[in-house]
Amino acid sequence: MTTTTPTAGTATTPTPVRALNASRTTATAARVLRQLRHDPRTIAMMILIPCMMLFLLRYVFDGSPRTFDNIGASLLGIFPLITMFLVTSIATLRERTSGTLERLLAMPLGKGDLIAGYALAFGIIAIIQSALATGLAVWFLGLDVTGSPWLLLLVALLDALLGTALGLFVSAFAASEFQAVQFMPAVIFPQLLLCGLFTPRSNMHPALEAISDVLPMSYAVDGMNEVLKHTDMTADFVRDALIVAGCALLVLGLGAATLRRRTA
């Protein structure tokens, strides 16, 4: 039997790992959660700020509680999306600029494993965030909804996961934390203006209504409004929830495809 010995100076190229692996994904998620545990300010921002914004909004409309009922459900989904977008984009960019991402990708760890691990870790935070915000709005601030609060929680969670996916995606195009924050006006604000929060989308200019039809935040607001108005789960609610979930998965896939080892 002949054994082939690599000659000196010959570089061995590792075979790239492409398929998702559950153990690698969970190990990545565990590492991210350990890092977050030592960053209480980030945890406070992700979990408490949506609750603080809802609390503030309730008493801004103290003399008109019906107004809070009309927009509170929509903002229950929008606030977690914005918060998770900011924190995830900055955290991922920090990993890359510090060289951590390059060291991780030099190991048998695929881009898909890395993105899925981050999504899992921040998804756990999103569950806590969405549960606290929904509980505060419904049972403490008196948000009046016709449907089940559990459906509100579902849409709020999907919105938070969508914010996580968008943050992971845009971090690939930022060279600094300041640039990551600059993506918010480009990615979040147009969706905020066109999602139907300020006026029904049917009242917009036809061109803007057409644009709003392809923005995921529009379906998040529509899903919240379905819970606000209907006792049972409607077909429109299921469609809206599936669209938001599908957009989150699509953006996660794009994030894995565009992930770079280092920032130039």
Side-chain angles (χ1 to χ4, degrees):
M1 178 176 179
T2 304
T3 304
T4 303
T5 305
T7 59
T10 301
T12 303
T13 303
T15 302
V17 181
R18 298 182 182 277
L20 281 175
N21 180 279
S23 62
R24 291 193 295 262
T25 298
T26 53
T28 301
R31 182 187 62 81
V32 174
L33 289 173
R34 284 195 299 270
Q35 289 181 331
L36 288 175
R37 187 179 61 185
H38 299 295
D39 191 357
R41 287 176 296 182
T42 299
I43 293 178
M45 180 177 177
M46 287 190 291
I47 293 179
L48 298 181
I49 283 184
C51 296
M52 293 172 59
M53 294 297 99
L54 286 169
F55 187 87
L56 178 63
L57 185 71
R58 168 63 182 85
Y59 290 102
V60 165
F61 296 109
D62 191 43
S64 179
R66 189 60 192 167
T67 303
F68 176 71
D69 291 336
N70 290 334
I71 68 173
S74 299
L75 291 175
L76 183 59
I78 292 173
F79 285 156
L81 189 155
I82 294 174
T83 305
M84 296 304 291
F85 172 84
L86 269 176
V87 172
T88 307
S89 59
I90 293 174
T92 309
L93 181 66
R94 190 178 298 165
E95 292 270 79
R96 195 167 68 248
T97 55
S98 66
T100 302
L101 188 59
E102 185 177 18
R103 291 192 296 271
L104 288 171
L105 291 178
M107 302 167 63
L109 181 72
K111 293 181 179 181
D113 296 318
L114 188 69
I115 291 292
Y118 270 89
L120 178 60
F122 285 108
I124 293 172
I125 301 294
I127 292 173
I128 301 172
Q129 177 197 74
S130 302
L132 287 176
T134 303
L136 175 71
V138 174
W139 289 295
F140 185 79
L141 299 179
L143 179 65
D144 186 17
V145 293
T146 302
S148 170
W150 293 106
L151 296 180
L152 284 182
L153 174 60
L154 173 61
V155 180
L157 176 58
L158 291 175
D159 289 346
L161 293 175
L162 176 61
T164 298
L166 287 171
L168 288 169
F169 176 62
V170 303
S171 68
F173 305 99
S176 66
E177 294 180 14
F178 179 67
Q179 286 187 7
V181 174
Q182 286 179 313
F183 272 104
M184 174 170 274
V187 176
I188 300 297
F189 287 179
Q191 296 193 66
L192 188 62
L193 293 174
L194 299 177
C195 68
L197 177 65
F198 302 104
T199 186
R201 292 193 289 130
S202 58
N203 293 344
M204 297 178 185
H205 188 280
L208 294 180
E209 184 181 0
I211 294 173
S212 73
D213 287 341
V214 299
L215 298 178
M217 192 183 290
S218 300
Y219 297 95
V221 171
D222 288 349
M224 288 295 193
N225 288 334
E226 286 294 310
V227 181
L228 193 65
K229 299 173 183 177
H230 300 282
T231 305
D232 300 321
M233 183 187 300
T234 65
D236 287 340
F237 173 85
V238 174
R239 178 206 63 190
D240 296 334
L242 289 176
I243 289 175
V244 175
C247 287
L249 290 175
L250 174 62
V251 176
L252 282 176
L254 292 174
T258 57
L259 185 66
R260 293 177 295 161
R261 293 171 182 258
R262 300 188 67 176
T263 299

